[in-house]
Amino acid sequence: TGTDLADLVEEWLDWAQAADRLGVSVSKVRQLIREHQLAAVVPAPGAGQQVPAALLQDGVVVKGVPGVLTVLHDGGYDDRWALTWLFTADDTLPGRPIDALRENRGAEVKRRAQAMAF
């Protein structure tokens, strides 16, 4: 649910803030979301669509995020579900999939995403 996702993600960025961190235009952020290179949801009632700040690192989209999002979308999952999965701790990983991606431990995250999608 929306409340759960709001609890899982520490920091949200609106499209303008995401654009600023990436050094691109807001329309480019919209395109990245549409192409599943980034994911955005409405985290709380009344808020506009926002992007989790953890999907961005050092001015770029975290390596592995676009591939995982594409696999999950191809498997029929939406952005809300994909973000919930990325930000939910998994003791067998260990940690959250997003943290594994940020720490360049993406192979296992991608494998699990592929297993869920098919």
Side-chain angles (χ1 to χ4, degrees):
T1 64
T3 307
D4 295 340
L5 195 50
D7 292 340
L8 292 173
V9 177
E10 301 86 5
E11 182 186 2
W12 293 94
L13 305 172
D14 64 27
W15 290 8
Q17 292 167 315
D20 187 53
R21 290 210 187 169
L22 291 170
V24 299
S25 66
V26 172
S27 62
K28 178 65 174 175
V29 170
R30 185 179 301 114
Q31 179 184 348
L32 291 170
I33 293 165
R34 190 173 54 247
E35 295 173 351
H36 308 305
Q37 305 296 298
L38 269 179
V41 298
V42 176
Q49 268 202 335
Q50 297 184 9
V51 175
L55 297 182
L56 310 179
Q57 187 173 28
D58 302 326
V60 296
V61 176
V62 171
K63 181 182 175 202
V65 165
V68 168
L69 290 174
T70 298
V71 166
L72 293 175
H73 279 279
D74 288 350
Y77 298 105
D78 64 9
D79 277 1
R80 180 169 294 283
W81 192 94
L83 289 174
T84 300
W85 180 74
L86 279 170
F87 284 86
T88 299
D90 181 341
D91 292 341
T92 66
L93 199 48
R96 304 180 307 176
I98 187 60
D99 297 325
L101 290 173
R102 289 175 64 86
E103 295 162 8
N104 207 19
R105 295 185 292 124
E108 178 63 12
V109 174
K110 288 179 205 150
R111 188 191 68 72
R112 290 174 188 218
Q114 287 169 336
M116 287 188 313
F118 298 106

